[in-house]
Amino acid sequence: MSLYIWIKAIHVIFVIAWMAGLLIFPRYKLHQLKSKPGDELFETMKDASARLRRIILTPALLIVWALGITMLLLNQTLLSSGWMHAKLALVLILSGVHGYFVSIGRKIDAGSEAVSPRTLKMLNELPFVIMIGVVIFAVVKPF
Ligand code: HEM
């Protein structure tokens, strides 16, 4: 069994972890938006989201990128594939959404209403929608 196929398997495992983190993190922040600093709910969600970011969200992002780039270095023909270009464009947007969630998370921790609960609820769906596109490009390789 080739090293490449193991790297791909571990890549997909951490993709799932990253997606889970991106879908849970805004939920924790939504609870904080509905309470205020000092409240038990606010402090519990603040701690839970900090742990989620430290243990799952950030490590998963880094490992997905590291293993993805490793596969590109091992299989450089992929760099000229249209589906890989489209996939990487969506993954850059997904990484931007990650960064945005972390930055508004910090503001919410400081007690500011960085975003309305309604907007955050809508943004919470974005990673899933983007992931659908990425997986179709990565598995179907349509062009
Ligand atoms: C972060 C930057 C990423 C890079 C550089 C990257 C790169 C790659 C590469 C080179 C492969 C192997 C393709 C092949 O050999 O056919 C791969 C496979 C895969 N990637 Fe990524 N990827 C990244 C992120 C993601 C993300 C965010 C997702 C999902 C949301 C994803 C889902 C997949 C899947 C499902 C496969 C397996 C495709 C298959 O062979 O069936 N990747 N990725």
Side-chain angles (χ1 to χ4, degrees), residues 29 32 37 42 46 103-113:
K29 294 301 163 193
Q32 284 180 258
F42 186 98
K46 184 177 170 185
S103 77
I104 55 165
R106 286 210 180 90
K107 291 183 186 135
I108 292 170
D109 287 350
S112 101
E113 186 162 308

Side-chain angles (χ1 to χ4, degrees), residues 118-135:
R118 191 164 169 278
T119 307
L120 188 53
K121 247 190 222 144
M122 281 194 305
L123 290 172
N124 200 172
E125 311 309 327
L126 211 46
F128 189 77
V129 174
I130 297 171
M131 181 272 290
I132 295 172
V134 178
V135 170

Side-chain angles (χ1 to χ4, degrees), residues 82-84 86-87 90 132-143:
W83 65 267
M84 180 53 77
K87 177 185 172 188
L90 287 181
I132 295 172
V134 178
V135 170
I136 289 172
F137 287 133
V139 176
V140 181
K141 304 176 168 64
F143 46 79

Side-chain angles (χ1 to χ4, degrees), residues 6-12 14 62-72:
W6 278 101
I7 294 174
K8 197 191 288 191
I10 301 168
H11 175 72
V12 175
F14 282 96
L62 298 175
I63 294 168
V64 166
W65 271 100
L67 296 180
I69 291 168
T70 305
M71 286 188 284
L72 287 175

Side-chain angles (χ1 to χ4, degrees), residues 51-125:
R51 266 199 313 277
L52 178 74
R53 187 159 64 81
R54 205 176 48 247
I55 300 167
I56 296 179
L57 207 47
T58 306
L61 168 116
L62 298 175
I63 294 168
V64 166
W65 271 100
L67 296 180
I69 291 168
T70 305
M71 286 188 284
L72 287 175
L73 294 173
L74 291 172
N75 189 354
Q76 294 187 18
T77 55
L78 292 174
L79 287 167
S80 55
S81 311
W83 65 267
M84 180 53 77
H85 300 159
K87 177 185 172 188
L88 291 178
L90 287 181
V91 171
L92 281 173
I93 296 170
L94 197 59
S95 305
V97 171
H98 175 120
Y100 175 73
F101 283 166
V102 169
S103 77
I104 55 165
R106 286 210 180 90
K107 291 183 186 135
I108 292 170
D109 287 350
S112 101
E113 186 162 308
V115 63
S116 73
R118 191 164 169 278
T119 307
L120 188 53
K121 247 190 222 144
M122 281 194 305
L123 290 172
N124 200 172
E125 311 309 327

